[in-house]
Amino acid sequence: MKYLMAPLLAVVVLGGMSCARVMVMAPMYEPEPVYEVLVGDFHIHTPHSDGRLTPVERVEEAVAFGYDVIAITDHGNFKAYEEALPRANELGLVLVRGMETGLRDREHLVALGFDATYEPRDPHRWALEPGQDTVFYQEQWPRLVRESGAFVLYAHPHVGYEEPMQWGLREGLLAGIEVKNAVVGDGWN
């Protein structure tokens, strides 16, 4: 750490007034890098799951809304990413690889930015307990984060803060929580 010598004038009272010049070491901090704020949506669906607009239409919609970045997060797959990427590049929109996954009929997770080689196992249908017909969430979730580099958000947190989410938080696998989306109050929101 760099230090800056900062002279300070101190007045010391010891039975009378006298002045002393005191040198103190004050940390000198490097200026923070400049950050750019991007506007976007990280939980969007297409007909590859339960959305209506095609991947290209989602990109064009995002640009029309003034977004800088989106992630198309269809349930259990990331097919839309490859379809949307050329149009996103043409329009200067940042497109993040994404997918919605999670426990069958329970908590949902939005996974962002994972490696292209990631092969989901029982996506969007993880088991709550080991030994069931689909993969146990404590086997698949760490693989998604630690092996493929995903950034994982808790989607639709209205279902509560139950053991799977508590476990994910304790294990350092849960990086954020969705606060609001466009259809809050309907169905899964």
Side-chain angles (χ1 to χ4, degrees), residues 4-109:
L4 172 68
M5 296 295 285
L8 298 178
L9 183 61
V11 177
V12 181
V13 179
L14 296 173
M17 295 286 277
S18 65
C19 291
R21 187 172 172 95
V22 179
M23 300 296 285
V24 295
M25 301 291 286
M28 181 174 78
Y29 297 99
E30 297 293 326
E32 292 294 325
V34 176
Y35 293 97
E36 185 175 348
V37 175
L38 302 177
V39 176
D41 190 337
F42 298 102
H43 190 172
I44 300 174
H45 298 297
T46 72
H48 286 294
S49 63
D50 59 359
R52 293 187 184 105
L53 299 179
T54 68
V56 169
E57 289 170 332
R58 283 297 193 187
V59 166
E60 292 169 346
E61 173 190 59
V63 170
F65 286 160
Y67 292 169
D68 303 299
V69 57
I70 64 168
I72 298 174
T73 54
D74 287 318
H75 298 177
N77 73 80
F78 45 93
K79 296 173 190 168
Y81 178 81
E82 295 300 330
E83 291 176 34
L85 189 58
R87 186 67 175 142
N89 288 339
E90 285 174 22
L91 297 175
L93 180 75
V94 176
L95 182 63
V96 177
R97 184 184 311 277
M99 175 180 67
E100 186 172 342
T101 191
L103 285 85
R104 182 184 351 199
D105 301 322
R106 294 181 51 107
E107 292 87 354
H108 292 182
L109 302 168

